[in-house]
Amino acid sequence: MLFNSVWSIVILFYLALTPLFAARLYHSVAALGLLAITTIFWFAGSIAMAAKIGVPDCHGWTSCQSAQAAVAFGFFIWAIFTGLTVMEGLAYMRSRGHAAHADTTKPAMNHYGA
């Protein structure tokens, strides 16, 4: 789960900052693939952790309760990345892969429309 967290931070930085600062390096197919891989990582990690701890009776042990919370949050994050993957896939299908999300073809307009 630690790998998933670090991987997700790197991917989210790429998805958030690349279209803003380096639009030529942003490709919607790559973003879709990275999100799909991240979704699979979170699903696999959450399943593995749930299988490892099973269904314990914690009796107030904080380490046991922390492991249960990690499984729950892992599945929440998996659901979030699933939603992001679906939204990116829909955006790719709408644009048919012709352009990135950042529109760099139009010149910037000032407040007066010129």
Side-chain angles (χ1 to χ4, degrees):
M1 299 289 266
L2 179 62
F3 169 78
N4 289 347
S5 300
V6 173
W7 173 263
S8 297
I9 290 169
V10 171
I11 295 306
L12 290 175
F13 275 137
Y14 170 77
L15 293 175
L17 299 178
T18 306
L20 296 175
F21 298 111
R24 290 183 181 180
L25 297 177
Y26 184 81
H27 300 286
S28 55
V29 175
L32 183 60
L34 290 172
L35 281 171
I37 289 170
T38 307
T39 302
I40 292 168
F41 283 163
W42 276 105
F43 185 69
S46 299
I47 291 290
M49 184 117 175
K52 173 85 172 152
I53 67 169
V55 185
D57 191 11
C58 291
H59 300 294
W61 296 352
T62 56
S63 62
C64 176
Q65 293 170 340
S66 296
Q68 289 175 334
V71 170
F73 281 112
F75 280 113
F76 286 137
I77 295 171
W78 166 72
I80 290 168
F81 272 103
T82 300
L84 287 173
T85 303
V86 167
M87 288 190 295
E88 185 69 28
L90 290 174
Y92 175 74
M93 295 300 283
R94 268 189 235 116
S95 69
R96 294 189 177 103
H98 292 300
H101 295 292
D103 186 12
T104 58
T105 58
K106 295 180 185 176
M109 294 180 62
N110 61 20
H111 295 288
Y112 304 105

